[in-house]
Amino acid sequence: MLLEARRISKQYRSDSTAVTALHPTSLRIDNGEFVAILGPSGSGKSTLMSILGLLDRPSSGEFFIDGRDSATLSDDQAAGLRNRLIGFVFQSYHLLPRQSILHNVELPLLYSGVGRAERRERATQALTAVKLPHRIDHLPSQLSGGEQQRAAIARAIVTKPAIILADEPTGALDSATGWEILQLLIALNRVGRTIVLVTHDVDIAHQASRIISIRDGTIVSDQSAAAARAAAAAAETMEQCDAAA
Ligand SMILES: Nc1ncnc2c1ncn2[C@@H]1O[C@H](COP(=O)(O)OP(=O)(O)OP(=O)(O)O)[C@@H](O)[C@H]1O
Ligand SMILES: [Mg+2]
């Protein structure tokens, strides 16, 4: 089991108030899966993704990644594991604005101590894989949104991570460009990467093979995309029957 959460919850505390973003939640994600986490704004998707990606720790419950109990990891160990196992993609790309695209993509390799020549070669390969080899000397601001997201995906895959966590990766893009980015994630899944895709968009979620739906910090369903499609079709038929009756 690659990722396993056992009754994890998350409360955010400020001075006087506490917000429960995630109620006790259990889930398992296997190697090679393509999972969508689907839910409306504020439902706890990013909170859940942050815990799955070792960016944050649960308030209670247990989280295992690649067989390791996250509670036993120091912050440095968690950062090391994160850098080795996980590639992140965000809605707003998170590219460093004053660094060239090539340098942005090389950065995770720099953190893991890879030498200059190999960094350059692997970053160039990753940029070729996302079909962006001609833009490597540009600054992020000189690229379109779709190109910046391609660069961000190149940065996410340059360390060859087992898992790619993508939080609304198409959220800032028009639908055609968003679709291209989605095809890229599908292709990465076909070559063995585990993909966890956070979205509020049902059509996008249906491109995954499994859909976990979340509302108000609780998982309300967890099913294959085919089962989700069948359930949606049945609900529509019921509505039509009700309307006709
Ligand atoms: N750092 C924080 N401090 C306090 N409350 C937070 C914090 N982060 C998130 N929350 C709250 O937790 C709940 C879940 O937030 P989360 O960001 O996980 O939702 P989301 O499903 O990702 O929403 P969106 O689709 O808008 O990105 C929300 O009510 C939010 O206001
Ligand atoms: Mg979010």
Side-chain angles (χ1 to χ4, degrees), residues 12-13 19-21 39-48 167-168 198 200:
Y12 292 109
R13 283 174 220 290
V19 178
T20 298
S41 182
S43 56
K45 306 183 295 293
S46 296
T47 300
L48 178 57
D167 194 346
E168 301 276 10
V198 164
H200 62 270

Side-chain angles (χ1 to χ4, degrees), residues 18-39:
V19 178
T20 298
L22 199 62
H23 296 284
T25 297
S26 300
L27 69 102
R28 296 151 70 99
I29 296 176
D30 245 325
N31 244 316
E33 284 200 81
F34 186 170
V35 181
I37 297 176
L38 172 68

Side-chain angles (χ1 to χ4, degrees), residues 59-75:
S59 308
S60 68
E62 294 172 296
F63 175 57
F64 297 84
I65 178 162
D66 203 24
R68 247 160 300 188
D69 182 348
S70 67
T72 66
L73 301 171
S74 67
D75 287 349

Side-chain angles (χ1 to χ4, degrees), residues 52-220:
L52 298 181
L54 295 174
L55 291 169
D56 203 353
R57 295 180 186 264
S59 308
S60 68
E62 294 172 296
F63 175 57
F64 297 84
I65 178 162
D66 203 24
R68 247 160 300 188
D69 182 348
S70 67
T72 66
L73 301 171
S74 67
D75 287 349
D76 280 353
Q77 286 172 325
L81 203 58
R82 186 167 66 230
N83 198 34
R84 195 162 59 71
L85 277 183
I86 306 171
F88 291 94
V89 181
F90 297 99
Q91 175 171 347
S92 50
Y93 326 127
H94 290 196
L95 297 166
L96 297 180
R98 292 181 210 288
Q99 300 277 335
S100 72
I101 291 299
L102 183 62
H103 277 129
N104 267 281
V105 176
E106 281 183 15
L107 214 53
L109 298 174
L110 185 68
Y111 292 147
S112 45
V114 177
R116 192 156 191 249
E118 190 184 339
R119 280 205 307 272
R120 181 128 313 182
E121 188 186 330
R122 286 171 61 180
T124 307
Q125 274 172 7
L127 283 158
T128 304
V130 301
K131 301 193 174 67
L132 205 63
H134 51 298
R135 295 296 222 176
I136 60 173
D137 294 325
H138 288 62
L139 293 173
S141 61
Q142 296 170 322
L143 268 58
S144 72
E147 287 170 338
Q148 288 184 62
Q149 196 59 300
R150 283 176 190 279
I153 291 175
R155 182 188 53 193
I157 63 176
V158 76
T159 53
K160 302 196 189 303
I163 313 162
I164 294 170
L165 297 182
D167 194 346
E168 301 276 10
T170 64
L173 304 172
D174 66 79
S175 60
T177 310
W179 205 250
E180 286 170 19
I181 292 297
L182 204 57
Q183 296 310 314
L184 206 49
L185 294 175
I186 292 170
L188 287 167
N189 177 244
R190 294 225 169 100
V191 298
R193 299 273 177 272
T194 304
I195 314 271
V196 180
L197 167 73
V198 164
T199 182
H200 62 270
D201 185 316
V202 177
D203 293 332
I204 288 175
H206 274 97
Q207 300 305 307
S209 41
R210 173 179 166 199
I211 302 176
I212 296 174
S213 296
I214 176 167
R215 294 253 183 301
D216 298 327
T218 301
I219 291 178
V220 293

